[in-house]
Amino acid sequence: MTAQTIKIWDFDGGVHPEENKHQSTGQPIAVANSPEFVVVPLNQHLGSPAKPIVKVGDKVKTGQVIAQADGFVSAPTHASITGIVTEIAEYQVPHASGLTSLCIKIENQGEDEWELLPALDLNSSDEALINRIKEAGLAGLGGAGFPTNIKYLTKDTIETLIINGAECEPYITADDMLMRERAKQVIDGTRIAQKILNAKEVLIGIEDNKPEAIAAIQKAVADSGEQTISVRVIPTKYPSGGEKQLIQILTGKQVPAGGLPSSLGIVCQNVGTVAAVAEAVLEGKPLVSRVVTLTGEALGTQCNLDVRLGTPISNLLQQVKVNQKKLDRLIMGGPMMGFTLPDANLPVIKTTNCILAPTKKELPPGNLFNACIRCGICEQVCPADLLPQQLYWYSKSKNWEQLELNSLSDCIECGACAYVCPSQIPLVQYYRFAKGEIRKEQAEHEKSDNARIRFEARQERLAQEAAEKEAKRKARAEAAAKAKAAKSGAEGSAKPEISDSVKEAIARAKAKKAVTDSASTSNAPALTKEQLEAKWQNAVAKAEKAEARLNDAKENDDPMAVALEKSLAKLKEKALLAKEQLDNFQEPPDKAEPAKVVLTKEQLEAKLKAAQAKLEKTQAKFVEANENNDPMAEALEKSLAKLREKVEAAKAQLDSFNESDSKETQS
Amino acid sequence: MILSQASSPHAKGRMNVSQVMFTVSAATLPGLACLIWFFGWGYLFNVLTAIIFALITETLVMIIRKRPILFYLKDGSAFLTALLLGLALPPFAPWWIAAVGSVFSILFVKHLYGGLGNNPFNPAMAGYALLLISFPVQMTTAWGAPSVMPGHSLPGFFETLQMYLGFAEVVDGYTMATPLDVYKLNIAVQTQAELAMKSEFLAGWLPGWLWVSIAYAIGGVFLIWRGIITWHTPVAVLASLLIMSGLFSWDADIRVPVYLHMLGGATMIGAFFIATDPVSSATSNRGKLIYGAGIGVLTYVIRTFGNYPDAIAFAVLLMNFCAPLIDHYSRPKIYGHEKSVRGYKKEDKA
Ligand code: SF4
Ligand code: SF4
């Protein structure tokens, strides 16, 4: 492609924080010292955690599967060193909200024996390639850790594959160094991805502050002879490496809100991920290591290390001679979006691109902040074109509705707004809090919805049971009456007794039928119009909610998206069905009488007994309280009176029942 | 090893609130220098008096509200408010004008509404409006005659100070009305040519005000370059005023002409420093365009049909009223959305 035809776009907003990248690019990627043990978390990817298939005491080789993928959105986990499994337990893992996860601890045995998969090549079938990518435990190495194979399973037609080599976060140079040193691997992986996706063109976006990487990649592309791959040098501006932003820079298109890039025919992959794809396919190597940038002024050496997953970060810090006195924070990721680690013993995971160990002077901790002066500087830098200031006010006042109106969910938490805010307001912290609260509220809402539905179902069932009992009672009474009539008839006509029992049997059968009839009328087909309507509305509301959640999930690259999509489809179907039912609804010709709740004699008797027992108990308590001069006595006295009333009422009911029963029997 | 915990982003930009406020303050310096040069020391006294009283008021409020005093004084917002008010006052007004206006701005307009960031009205302009309504004589007659007027010279530093503090009478010859005012009052009986013939008009105060306007514009462009304000508000103010005066004041024999509207009064300081007050203006870029245009139109209307010599203050205050509404109807289109969400409606849930 010639220089003239290359066009790139710009995204709105963005900032230019100090890059601080040169510190860690001074030396080539070195291999990290072999750790004494590794702690391999089973949830290094988004989605459901892997299931362990080894036990304590097992000997494992490097690359051996130690936990299997569990479900569609999941990835297997491999042993990253050769050694013995010594523990399978919950450990704290690097995560923005301090999660723990099941981890497998492996004690190093010294030698490094590999268990490799058979090598494949570019000519292997798509299916085999995707399968390999899944087997190798690949997950996005750039950020969220989305299982890679799922991106390749998209049903959309993919025109463009974008390889993200922007690495816009300050300080981080892992991708930069990888492109410089392993350009061929990156391009090999790119070609594999391109083949699987059947993408017409590949755009590799690299920020112009990485001339060496650009040169290396350009050379590798030229060497590969591939005409459809082109390198796009983009201006340095944070956050150009955000997926949505990079897509806009390279294609001029915006990913629709709530949609996935694949809906535009685009798939985005990080350079680190495609390099890992090449390793997995061409060498049969599962993902057991990655390049990590170690940087920050508290470190003696700032560099990039090739680190086995699960290596405790403290090991790395030791290797690069951390100055404990100067160390203030440990940040996983960069200074814009990284999160602080609670301690240095957490393991390196698939998404650990950088460990930043700044001194206090280097990245001063935020302190007292001013009020928002509404200067609007934040708005000028927001890459999502949001109004961060408004989001802040509404987050502060917990006005979820306004937050929705202002599309808080479109915030990518890039931190550009907080970076420029002259009042130094920790804006992103407010947004995270608000997002969390909203999510909680939604969950609660759902819960209460479910509870309501359960409650209604229970009410229905109770009414039905009552109706059944009533029908039974009637049937019994009828049978008895008939029996009597038969008897009296028998006296005159002197019929044998057999016929009596036959009649009784018939009556019983009739009664049974009546019961089932009445049961079926109060059953499913007899939903009233209101019920149907409610059902329909419920279904629609649910579908809407699910859609909102799906959008959210998609935005956050949540692997749940796929599952949510399915359930959304189902919900929509349900809503349609309900609508249909409602439309077809005709008032049943003879509307079933709403079942009256009539208590049987036994029930009444039981009720009376219970009331009496309670009364006795309370009386005993009352006496005791009186003796001890307990202040409760007064209250007890009152409840005693009430209980007495109840007992009376129950008795009266029972009496009248007996009367009516006997009347009925008499007639 | 104890590691401190913090929320991202960990990197912070260079600019903090006091830097913003003091940069804006610094950007007014060319204008202040011109004012002093052409109209005398009175401006300096006004500015200093206003600032002193503002800081004292701010301190007292902070003591009452039990807030860290220095932290809030340092933010420079009271300083800037007072500075802008001082710049807007007539140079031969007595000292208590600046004092009263400044205390009112800080105490009533800013803090009674909840302090920095919460005040719906521009404190400096609200203070100015109060003074204009309460003390119309001092506020309209105490403007200075420029030093460049033939046969005229400015009073010296101490002479001005004496007059300022009330130890000496203000000599009539030192004061005159503003050019906008003079033109507006006299054009009914004189023609444009006659007015222009007056030596004090041509060689006198028009150049004086012209230089002040240029100085403010330079300061404003500096602020845009530094990214502290955006171009939207000033451009909208100036463009709308230009269009309004071009459309309705093309006949300079009847109405105040375009060039006087643009360069003769408080237009430049208004467009670059007053209308851009972040707290009380609209927020989005689109909103700022509407907001600024509103100020320009209202300024023209009030100047032409109202009784006040200059109208920026009222125009700004009126538009302060509208700012929340403008904000609601001018939300930008968010990334990945088909169109923007306007007002309170819940459309665009694509
Ligand atoms: S940058 Fe900070 S102070 Fe300025 S409007 Fe945004 S949140 Fe408010
Ligand atoms: S953190 Fe959110 S609101 Fe702030 S600039 Fe980034 S996307 Fe915009």
Side-chain angles (χ1 to χ4, degrees), chain A residues 372-376 378 389 421-423 425 427:
Chain A
C372 167
I373 55 169
R374 297 173 41 95
C375 62
C378 48
Q389 180 204 144
C421 176
S423 289
I425 303 171
L427 294 167

Side-chain angles (χ1 to χ4, degrees), chain A residues 11-12 16-18 170 243-245 247-248 253-258 317 324 327-331 334-344 363-366 368-377 379-380 383-387 389-390 393-394 401-402 404-407 410 413-416 418-426 428-429 432 551, chain B residues 1-21 67-68 71-77 114-120 226-232 276-288 320 323-324 326-328 330-350:
Chain A
F11 66 93
D12 291 336
H16 296 95
E18 254 177 81
E243 188 175 76
K244 291 177 172 182
Q245 279 64 44
I247 287 173
Q248 188 171 8
K253 293 180 204 158
Q254 291 194 343
V255 182
L317 294 180
Q324 298 279 5
L327 182 67
D328 172 53
R329 267 172 291 179
L330 270 184
I331 299 166
M336 298 299 284
M337 289 182 83
F339 54 90
T340 45
L341 298 174
D343 76 79
L363 292 178
L368 217 53
F369 56 89
N370 290 79
C372 167
I373 55 169
R374 297 173 41 95
C375 62
I377 297 178
E379 188 203 326
Q380 304 300 323
D385 303 307
L386 297 165
L387 298 173
Q389 180 204 144
Q390 246 80 335
W393 288 103
Y394 293 132
E401 197 187 322
Q402 278 295 332
E404 200 192 326
L405 212 59
N406 281 284
S407 291
D410 282 304
E413 296 180 21
C414 67
Y419 173 79
V420 295
C421 176
S423 289
Q424 325 244 313
I425 303 171
V428 180
Q429 203 175 330
R432 279 204 202 107
N551 288 346
Chain B
M1 170 176 38
I2 293 169
L3 298 169
S4 59
Q5 302 293 301
S7 170
S8 67
H10 307 279
K12 287 273 146 65
R14 267 156 270 124
M15 199 68 96
N16 60 34
V17 176
S18 21
Q19 277 161 323
V20 169
M21 296 294 176
R67 301 280 171 86
F71 177 74
Y72 282 96
L73 280 190
K74 237 176 41 198
D75 72 25
S77 61
L116 180 61
N118 294 310
N119 46 298
R226 297 289 291 126
I228 289 177
I229 60 173
T230 63
W231 57 266
H232 303 82
T276 53
D277 165 47
V279 177
S280 54
S281 75
T283 35
S284 68
N285 289 343
R286 206 181 337 192
K288 283 188 236 169
N320 285 167
I326 294 175
D327 279 343
H328 270 297
S330 59
R331 292 198 189 94
K333 187 186 88 64
I334 295 163
Y335 179 105
H337 286 242
E338 305 251 314
K339 53 185 190 272
S340 60
V341 185
R342 303 280 172 80
Y344 297 91
K345 282 166 288 176
K346 288 196 185 182
E347 21 181 62
D348 191 30
K349 292 265 92 198

Side-chain angles (χ1 to χ4, degrees), chain A residues 426-439:
Chain A
L427 294 167
V428 180
Q429 203 175 330
Y430 277 94
Y431 305 154
R432 279 204 202 107
F433 168 76
K435 281 182 182 176
E437 288 294 299
I438 291 172
R439 229 172 288 145

Side-chain angles (χ1 to χ4, degrees), chain A residues 56-119:
Chain A
V56 173
D58 282 3
K59 188 173 185 318
V60 292
K61 288 183 189 170
T62 311
Q64 183 183 333
V65 179
I66 51 174
Q68 255 168 355
D70 186 20
F72 181 60
V73 185
S74 186
T77 308
H78 304 79
S80 55
I81 55 173
T82 305
I84 291 187
V85 176
T86 55
E87 208 182 346
I88 301 178
E90 290 274 331
Y91 275 90
Q92 194 166 24
V93 293
H95 189 275
S97 41
L99 287 183
T100 61
S101 156
L102 201 59
C103 299
I104 296 180
K105 187 172 176 182
I106 304 169
E107 205 90 42
N108 201 337
Q109 292 264 296
E111 79 277 37
D112 192 20
E113 278 176 58
W114 279 78
E115 189 177 299
L116 294 176
L117 296 159

Side-chain angles (χ1 to χ4, degrees), chain B residues 169-349:
Chain B
E169 280 287 308
V170 177
V171 184
D172 260 358
Y174 289 144
T175 64
M176 63 195 313
T178 63
L180 267 172
D181 222 11
V182 171
Y183 201 102
K184 197 171 127 186
L185 289 178
N186 292 328
I187 199 65
V189 290
Q190 287 177 302
T191 63
Q192 178 195 8
E194 277 172 320
L195 265 174
M197 287 288 284
K198 289 190 166 181
S199 67
E200 68 254 47
F201 187 88
L202 195 63
W205 36 255
L206 181 57
W209 283 106
L210 181 64
W211 278 110
V212 171
S213 293
I214 291 173
Y216 277 136
I218 290 173
V221 171
F222 168 74
L223 290 183
I224 294 174
W225 172 65
R226 297 289 291 126
I228 289 177
I229 60 173
T230 63
W231 57 266
H232 303 82
T233 313
V235 166
V237 173
L238 296 177
S240 60
L241 187 58
L242 189 71
I243 292 168
M244 287 298 284
S245 52
L247 277 179
F248 300 109
S249 291
W250 51 270
D251 188 351
D253 280 327
I254 301 170
R255 296 218 174 112
V256 180
V258 177
Y259 68 90
L260 261 188
H261 269 299
M262 303 305 289
L263 303 167
T267 306
M268 287 299 165
I269 186 177
F272 286 102
F273 292 94
I274 310 273
T276 53
D277 165 47
V279 177
S280 54
S281 75
T283 35
S284 68
N285 289 343
R286 206 181 337 192
K288 283 188 236 169
L289 285 176
I290 302 169
Y291 176 80
I295 290 176
V297 171
L298 284 175
T299 301
Y300 178 80
V301 171
I302 299 172
R303 273 182 184 175
T304 310
F305 304 106
N307 283 325
Y308 291 105
D310 208 337
I312 293 281
F314 291 105
V316 167
L317 290 174
L318 282 172
M319 288 311 289
N320 285 167
F321 268 116
C322 309
L325 197 68
I326 294 175
D327 279 343
H328 270 297
Y329 287 95
S330 59
R331 292 198 189 94
K333 187 186 88 64
I334 295 163
Y335 179 105
H337 286 242
E338 305 251 314
K339 53 185 190 272
S340 60
V341 185
R342 303 280 172 80
Y344 297 91
K345 282 166 288 176
K346 288 196 185 182
E347 21 181 62
D348 191 30
K349 292 265 92 198

